[in-house]
Amino acid sequence: MKLVSAKPTRLHCKTCDKTYRLPQNGAIKLYKELKCPLDEFELVLWTTGTRGKTAPVCPNCYNHSPFPAMPKESTCSMCTHPTCKHSMTANKVGACWECTTGDLILDPTSGPKWKIACNKCQVLIHLCENAFRVS
């Protein structure tokens, strides 16, 4: 797949001639060659910068929601897959106090400068630095 960085940012597969929308207003990069347990798509990482939000994204799930309760164009931070280590289910810390509809999600990609971010609004909490592991 080829990343098309011109707005809107998207992935395009020349073999099957399919285009996959991606989150906007941030940078997209490969995420450690990890794959989504639902469809084996390679995950990408969407980030708004070192001091901002970061979330793993499955391009297929982002475009074709795998669960009825999961809105279309959701990152892994909104996924309800019960066993995926990138899902909201695995990384949820609690409810957001700011927007009351979102959940605070531990950013599994942020170590050793750990962050928790709301999956619906702009709340971002910077946790301890230099911690080897947070659970």
Side-chain angles (χ1 to χ4, degrees):
M1 287 218 212
K2 180 181 177 190
L3 176 66
V4 180
S5 56
K7 298 277 183 186
T9 306
R10 59 209 179 274
L11 286 174
H12 181 75
C13 177
K14 289 182 181 182
T15 307
C16 61
D17 198 31
K18 285 189 178 179
T19 300
Y20 296 89
R21 290 181 310 281
L22 294 171
Q24 302 300 302
N25 303 321
I28 300 285
K29 59 185 177 181
L30 255 177
Y31 181 43
K32 301 179 185 176
E33 297 182 5
L34 296 174
K35 294 187 179 191
C36 174
L38 290 170
D39 52 31
E40 293 297 310
F41 262 67
E42 244 180 83
L43 299 177
V44 295
L45 201 59
W46 169 78
T47 181
T48 60
T50 56
R51 300 292 298 166
K53 287 186 172 188
T54 302
V57 178
C58 169
N60 192 49
C61 292
Y62 187 80
N63 286 269
H64 310 287
S65 177
F67 304 110
M70 188 173 146
K72 196 173 182 183
E73 297 188 355
S74 292
T75 65
C76 296
S77 68
M78 294 180 77
C79 179
T80 56
H81 189 280
T83 60
C84 179
K85 67 179 184 174
H86 303 289
S87 71
M88 172 180 69
T89 307
N91 294 297
K92 181 178 175 179
V93 175
C96 180
W97 66 86
E98 185 74 27
C99 70
T100 66
T101 60
D103 294 303
L104 296 173
I105 310 295
L106 175 67
D107 177 356
T109 69
S110 63
K113 296 181 179 185
W114 298 98
K115 298 184 276 189
I116 294 174
C118 179
N119 61 4
K120 300 254 174 102
C121 74
Q122 297 303 313
V123 167
L124 182 65
I125 303 164
H126 294 272
L127 297 175
C128 54
E129 287 192 26
N130 301 320
F132 176 71
R133 187 173 64 145
V134 176
S135 57

